[in-house]
Amino acid sequence: MINRLVMMLACVSLWLVNVTQAADIKGVRLWRAPDNTRLVFDLSGPIDHKIFQLENPDRLVIDIKQADLKSAFSELTLSNTPINKVRHGKRNGRDLRVVLDLKTAVRPRSFVLKPNETYGDRLVIDLYDRNVKPVVKSAPQVAITSSGRVGRDIVIAVDAGHGGDDPGAIGYRGVREKDVVLQIARRLHQLFSREPGFKSFLIREGDYYVGLRQRTVIARQRRADLFVSIHADAFKNRRANGASVFALSQRGATSETARWLASRENSSDLIGGVGNVSLSDKDATLAGVLLDLSMTATLTSSLEAGGQVLRNMGQISRLHKRHVEQAGFMVLKSPDIPSILVETGFITNPTDGQKLATRSHQENLAQAVFKGLKSYFYQVPPANTYVAQLKHRGPVNGPTRYVIKRGDTLSEIASRHNVSVSSLRARNNLKADRIRVGQILQIPN
Ligand SMILES: [Zn+2]
C-alpha cells in the first residue's frame, strides 16, 4: 500500500498532468517581457509533460508524451530572449522532446491551460530571468517651479489590460482588446508626462502579459498615487455598448483586507493611507482596524476618481451605466492605492468596436480619463505635491485666464480678481472697455 502510494506520488511529480492521449503541437508563440520570456505551445488536445534543466551548457528540456510536432520553431524571434536555439526530437518513437539551448540559466515554470473561446489546449513555459532587480524606483520626483516652490509629482500607474498570450476580448472585425487598450494607455501616459505636477508609467509597455497581482505590486513599488486599468468590454449580444468605470466592491475589499492580514509580511509595507503606519509591530486587532480604515479610505477615493472619469467619458461616449460600478476585480485590490478600471466601450459592438480601433477615438478616450483624473487630483491633492501647492497658493506660473460671459463688464471682472481695470486693459491690449462674450482675458498676477 505504502509502496504503491510512493510510486503514485513519483508519477505525479514526473508527469504533471496524467492524461494518456496523443496530441499535436500545432503552433508555437513567444513573448518577451522585461523580466521573463513566455513560450506557448498550441495543442490539439490535453497532454502529459515535464520539464527539467541541464547545465554546462544551460538547457531546458521539455518532454511531452505521445506528441507530434506539426509546427516549426524556426519562425520564433529569439533575439532579446535567453533562448539561443530550439531543437526537438522523438523519444521511444512516440514522445516528443523539445530542448531549449539557453544563453543563460533561467528560473522555469510550466503549466497547461484548458481551451477557452479563443484558444484550444495550451502548454505554457515561462522562463524567468535570474538576477533581475525588482523595479523599485527612487523617491517620487520633485518638481521645482519657476518661483522656487517645491512639491512632488502625483504618480499615475497606467495599466493596459491583458497582453501577450492573453488577447482579451476579440471584437468586431478581429480587433483585439490588448492592442486597443495599449494604444489608449500609451496616449494617457503621454498626456500625464506633459502635464506639470504629474508623472506616470505604464504597467506593461509592450505586447506581453503581466500577472494581475503583479500589476498591483509594480504600482506599489513605484509609489503610485492612483492606478488606472484600461479595458474594452465584450458581450454575446453585439448590441451591448457604451463605456463604464469600475471600483472595487465592498465584498472584494473585505476579503482582501483579510488576505493582507493573513500574510503579515505583506502588511508591513503598508499603509500609505494612514500615514505610512507599519502593521508589523501592531497587535492583530489594531492592525485589522488600521488596514480596514485604509481600505475604506482608498475605496472612497476610487469612487470619487471614478466618478470624475465617468463624467468626462460621458461627453465623448455613450455610457453603459451612469454610476461607477463595483466589482471584485483583482487589479483593483490594492489596500492603499486608489484604483479604477475603465471599460472604454464594447469591442464586440459594431459601432463601439469600429470607433475603438481609430486613433481619434483612442485619443478622445485618453483625454477623457486624463481630464477626469486631473480634476479629481485638483479637488483632493495629496499633501506635499506640486498640485497641492498650486491649489492652496493659487497659480504660480503667469496669469489666470477668464472667459467672458454674458453681462460681464471689465470693471466687474477687475474687482472680482482683485486687479485694477487699467492693468487688465494693459495686459490684454484693450483700447476701449468693450468686451465680447466668449473672449478670453488674461488676468494679471
Ligand atoms: Zn479586459
Side-chain angles (χ1 to χ4, degrees):
M1 189 67 186
I2 288 169
N3 275 343
R4 247 187 90 184
L5 192 66
V6 170
M7 284 263 298
M8 277 173 64
L9 284 174
C11 285
V12 170
S13 71
L14 277 177
W15 296 101
L16 295 176
V17 183
N18 198 19
V19 196
T20 43
Q21 215 178 325
D24 292 333
I25 295 175
K26 301 185 297 178
V28 187
R29 295 171 288 141
L30 179 142
W31 287 271
R32 175 65 195 166
D35 65 345
N36 71 78
T37 305
R38 171 165 284 188
L39 264 172
V40 178
F41 295 84
D42 290 302
L43 312 163
S44 63
I47 50 142
D48 286 348
H49 85 285
K50 66 175 177 180
I51 62 171
F52 57 92
Q53 284 198 93
L54 298 169
E55 289 173 350
N56 295 324
D58 289 310
R59 281 152 292 162
L60 182 79
V61 180
I62 306 157
D63 278 343
I64 305 171
K65 263 192 179 172
Q66 297 189 43
D68 280 313
L69 184 68
K70 295 282 167 68
S71 168
F73 291 116
S74 53
E75 277 160 34
L76 295 175
T77 309
L78 300 177
S79 59
N80 204 22
T81 76
I83 308 167
N84 218 349
K85 217 171 76 188
V86 187
R87 296 178 284 129
H88 65 92
K90 274 290 199 179
R91 299 180 75 229
N92 322 323
R94 41 190 200 116
D95 299 341
L96 178 70
R97 168 164 286 185
V98 177
V99 180
L100 309 181
D101 290 318
L102 302 171
K103 297 168 197 161
T104 50
V106 293
R107 284 180 293 115
R109 188 182 69 149
S110 74
F111 56 94
V112 291
L113 291 171
K114 293 205 173 89
N116 63 18
E117 299 129 38
T118 317
Y119 295 110
D121 284 280
R122 282 149 293 158
L123 167 63
V124 181
I125 312 283
D126 282 338
L127 311 173
Y128 287 92
D129 300 350
R130 292 199 180 200
N131 309 321
V132 274
K133 291 180 200 99
V135 267
V136 180
K137 278 281 167 168
S138 51
Q141 211 186 328
V142 164
I144 300 173
T145 72
S146 53
S147 60
R149 285 177 203 174
V150 174
R152 72 168 178 89
D153 287 333
I154 291 171
V155 183
I156 310 288
V158 180
D159 175 43
H162 312 279
D165 55 316
D166 171 14
I170 305 290
Y172 185 73
R173 289 195 177 153
V175 177
R176 295 182 301 189
E177 180 184 357
K178 67 168 182 178
D179 299 329
V180 168
V181 297
L182 184 59
Q183 289 303 324
I184 298 169
R186 281 182 176 152
R187 285 167 193 276
L188 182 58
H189 170 52
Q190 220 167 49
L191 289 168
F192 275 117
S193 308
R194 286 198 218 112
E195 181 68 20
F198 287 88
K199 71 171 184 177
S200 69
F201 61 90
L202 292 163
I203 298 280
R204 73 167 171 100
E205 293 175 339
D207 185 18
Y208 52 85
Y209 186 75
V210 178
L212 297 179
R213 194 60 85 178
Q214 184 62 16
R215 295 179 194 234
T216 64
V217 169
I218 294 171
R220 176 164 304 101
Q221 282 174 343
R222 298 186 65 168
R223 304 183 190 193
D225 290 287
L226 185 133
F227 176 95
V228 53
S229 191
I230 308 289
H231 287 255
D233 246 329
F235 196 61
K236 275 173 248 149
N237 183 347
R238 299 211 316 178
R239 274 182 297 187
N241 70 86
S244 9
V245 177
F246 286 86
L248 186 61
S249 63
Q250 192 56 56
R251 196 168 159 187
T254 308
S255 65
E256 190 61 7
T257 305
R259 197 190 73 88
W260 275 86
L261 280 172
S263 58
R264 271 315 193 79
E265 70 276 24
N266 276 352
S267 340
S268 57
D269 62 336
L270 285 174
I271 306 169
V274 285
N276 292 314
V277 177
S278 168
L279 293 181
S280 52
D281 57 342
K282 306 286 184 298
D283 69 56
T285 315
L286 179 56
V289 170
L290 289 174
L291 188 55
D292 207 36
L293 273 176
S294 174
M295 194 63 140
T296 307
T298 304
L299 194 51
T300 307
S301 303
S302 304
L303 287 168
E304 280 170 13
Q308 293 284 2
V309 170
L310 198 66
R311 195 163 311 150
N312 282 275
M313 299 279 288
Q315 298 183 0
I316 56 140
S317 166
R318 216 192 76 86
L319 295 180
H320 188 61
K321 290 270 169 63
R322 296 243 138 237
H323 57 271
V324 177
E325 294 171 79
Q326 290 183 266
F329 293 129
M330 178 72 80
V331 291
L332 299 177
K333 288 187 171 179
S334 292
D336 52 349
I337 306 172
S339 306
I340 61 167
L341 187 145
V342 179
E343 293 280 9
T344 49
F346 278 80
I347 205 164
T348 42
N349 174 265
T351 315
D352 275 9
Q354 230 162 358
K355 275 169 74 185
L356 281 167
T358 67
R359 283 183 193 184
S360 58
H361 193 60
Q362 290 167 358
E363 180 64 28
N364 288 342
L365 287 164
Q367 286 276 2
V369 177
F370 169 71
K371 283 183 199 157
L373 292 180
K374 200 179 135 187
S375 51
Y376 163 72
F377 276 113
Y378 267 87
Q379 271 182 7
V380 281
N384 309 323
T385 59
Y386 174 71
V387 172
Q389 304 262 4
L390 269 190
K391 190 184 172 183
H392 296 124
R393 298 187 197 173
V396 287
N397 287 329
T400 316
R401 290 156 80 249
Y402 179 80
V403 184
I404 308 234
K405 294 185 197 70
R406 194 168 299 280
D408 277 344
T409 65
L410 210 54
S411 60
E412 258 178 41
I413 296 167
S415 77
R416 221 182 293 154
H417 289 89
N418 215 9
V419 295
S420 70
V421 175
S422 57
S423 69
L424 196 58
R425 222 186 272 140
R427 173 77 215 185
N428 293 281
N429 294 323
L430 298 176
K431 303 259 153 43
D433 284 352
R434 277 192 47 186
I435 45 174
R436 57 185 167 72
V437 175
Q439 189 179 352
I440 296 168
L441 290 186
Q442 307 283 339
I443 310 291
N445 281 334

